[in-house]
Every structure is written in structure tokens, then in C-alpha cells.
Amino acid sequence: MSPSGTPSIDLLGEQINAVLADPATTHGLARSLRAAAKEIELHGHHHASRRAWPNGRIDDKPAKVQIGGGTHRVDGFFNIDLVPPADLLWDVREGIPLQDDSTNEIFSEHFLEHIDYPRSVKHYVREAHRVLVPGGRIITGVPDAAFALNRYPSPLDATDEMIERWYAKRDCRGDINTRLDLVNLVFRDQDDDPTYTPHLWAYDYEKLVQLFTEAGFTTVEPWTFDPALAKPKRSWGSVYVVAAK
């Protein structure tokens, strides 16, 4: 039995893999099934953790929490993500597994754009407000949609810095033919390469302020980029805010 612990889910995963292995499977169906297979894998990780914490709350009260960091680990932060090597494998689209008023700081970067809006995004931001202590803060960084849009509709040069910094090593590089292609990648990056998670929504500073204010945060301000906390390469083309409860 797989980590999902659910026979029907395990069987579905096997059936999907069989269809993906069939050379007659159409491109469109394969794209959809790869996305489903990924969600089944994530469900397995989340379900395994839920067996240990069935009420959705862990006993620990970490002072600092990183969410959705992937392989980027931050010293002194408790890491929550749906994939290893996180300290806790959990689907935060279903809630943040911390007690009320239990942590001082939350950090995430280039995570929010990968979860569905409005259901999961707004739920996640409300959950962040719930688990932070009064005066606690959440730092959030995302690709800056305004950064990409400010350069549209200027002509695209093959040596454009945005291409070189973000997409030079990607399979999609050869299909970035116009400035609008770059805008589309920021808004809805859906590379056929299954190692990349699609973008589901785009954000700018104004949208982040609205999002956190709606959830009850008292202040939302620009965050001064700190390479000791954030990935240095993300200082270019990203927007970060810090919201205080």
C-alpha cells in the first residue's frame, strides 16, 4: 500500500500510470493525468501526517515557520511543505497545522502563485493570521506581475534579462518568441516538464496588500529583501511584503 493508505487512491494511481505509459495516450489527456498523479502523491504525504495529527494541529509551537520552501531550508525555521525534505509534510491548502496564536513569524517565497485562488489562497492567509501571535508577522514573496507588465508591449530581444535569469535553462526557452510569452509565463507558467509546478494566479504589491488586509492583518508594508532569509536570485523580479497581525 502506498503512503496514501487508501486502497481506492492507490488503485487510481496505478491506473493513471498505466494510461501514461500507453503511447496512444493523447497529449491533452497526459497533461491532465500528470497533474492528477502529482495530486495523488501529495495526498499521500498529507494523509500520512494527518494520521499522526488527526485534528490538524501539531503539539509543537515553533517560533519561526517556513512554508512551501522546497529544498531551500532556512536556519532556525520549522519547515512545512508537501514534499520532502520538510520537517512536516502537510497540504496547507487545507489549513496550517499549528495552534492558535502559536508562532511569531511565517516566511514563504514563490509559493503563493502555485495554489488556487481564491479558495486556497484566501484560506491560507486567514490561517496564517490565526496561528500568528498578536504582533506576529508573515513575510511573503512572489513573482511581481507588475514587473513583467511594465515591459509590455515593448519588443522582445533574444538577450532579454528576464529570459536569461528565469528561463535560460528551461525547455520553454525556445518558445519565448514575444513579450506576451513572458507575461504568460509569469501569470500561468505551465511548462510540460512535470518538475515545474504551474502558476495559478499572479500578484503585485497592491494585490498582496488587499489580500492580507482582508484577512485581518493590521499593517502590510514592503519587505526589505534579506538574502540571509530569501533566495538571493529572487531579489530580481519579485515583490515581497511583510504583514503584521
Side-chain angles (χ1 to χ4, degrees):
M1 188 172 288
S2 75
S4 72
T6 307
S8 59
I9 292 292
D10 297 340
L11 178 59
L12 178 59
E14 293 173 3
Q15 292 171 332
I16 286 175
N17 289 332
V19 176
L20 287 173
D22 185 345
T25 299
T26 61
H27 173 68
L29 179 58
R31 281 176 63 98
S32 298
L33 290 179
R34 283 198 299 269
K38 183 65 175 178
E39 287 294 336
I40 289 172
E41 176 190 356
L42 301 181
H43 171 84
H45 294 317
H46 179 73
H47 186 80
S49 294
R50 281 303 297 257
R51 287 201 297 268
W53 310 104
N55 67 348
R57 306 282 190 273
I58 65 173
D59 294 333
D60 294 339
K61 296 183 178 181
K64 296 182 178 182
V65 175
Q66 181 187 19
I67 292 179
T71 58
H72 177 61
R73 305 294 296 268
V74 181
D75 289 342
F77 279 71
F78 182 78
N79 292 271
I80 302 174
D81 203 342
L82 250 182
V83 294
D87 298 308
L88 177 64
L89 299 179
W90 197 273
D91 188 349
V92 298
R93 293 174 297 184
E94 302 302 314
I96 299 177
L98 301 176
Q99 305 291 332
D100 295 354
D101 305 319
S102 62
T103 190
N104 299 323
E105 183 171 300
I106 297 172
F107 174 76
S108 79
E109 60 176 348
H110 287 237
F111 158 73
L112 202 64
E113 71 273 16
H114 295 294
I115 62 176
D116 56 286
Y117 179 94
R119 189 271 186 193
S120 294
V121 169
K122 291 194 172 185
H123 182 52
Y124 163 74
V125 175
R126 289 192 298 267
E127 281 284 277
H129 187 272
R130 176 185 65 79
V131 305
L132 283 166
V133 300
R137 64 180 197 164
I138 178 172
I139 299 167
T140 302
V142 291
D144 188 0
F147 181 83
L149 290 172
N150 283 341
R151 300 178 180 220
Y152 177 83
S154 62
L156 181 67
D157 185 280
T159 60
D160 189 283
E161 189 175 8
M162 194 182 300
I163 297 176
E164 294 304 311
R165 284 179 178 265
W166 289 349
Y167 305 108
K169 298 180 181 179
R170 294 275 297 275
D171 290 343
C172 63
R173 171 65 184 85
D175 295 312
I176 303 175
N177 310 123
T178 69
R179 178 67 61 182
L180 188 57
D181 291 328
L182 279 176
V183 173
N184 269 296
L185 283 167
V186 171
F187 275 70
R188 52 177 189 175
D189 185 346
Q190 297 185 35
D191 200 320
D192 266 344
D193 186 337
T195 60
Y196 292 97
T197 305
H199 289 184
L200 300 181
W201 208 257
Y203 298 88
D204 60 5
Y205 177 75
E206 180 185 24
K207 180 57 188 175
L208 291 175
V209 170
Q210 179 274 321
L211 187 65
F212 286 100
T213 301
E214 181 184 275
F217 287 86
T218 58
T219 62
V220 187
E221 300 173 336
W223 181 67
T224 302
F225 191 88
D226 180 3
L229 184 58
K231 280 188 175 181
K233 70 177 184 179
R234 287 177 172 158
S235 64
W236 192 90
S238 299
V239 57
Y240 286 78
V241 299
V242 54
K245 180 175 176 178

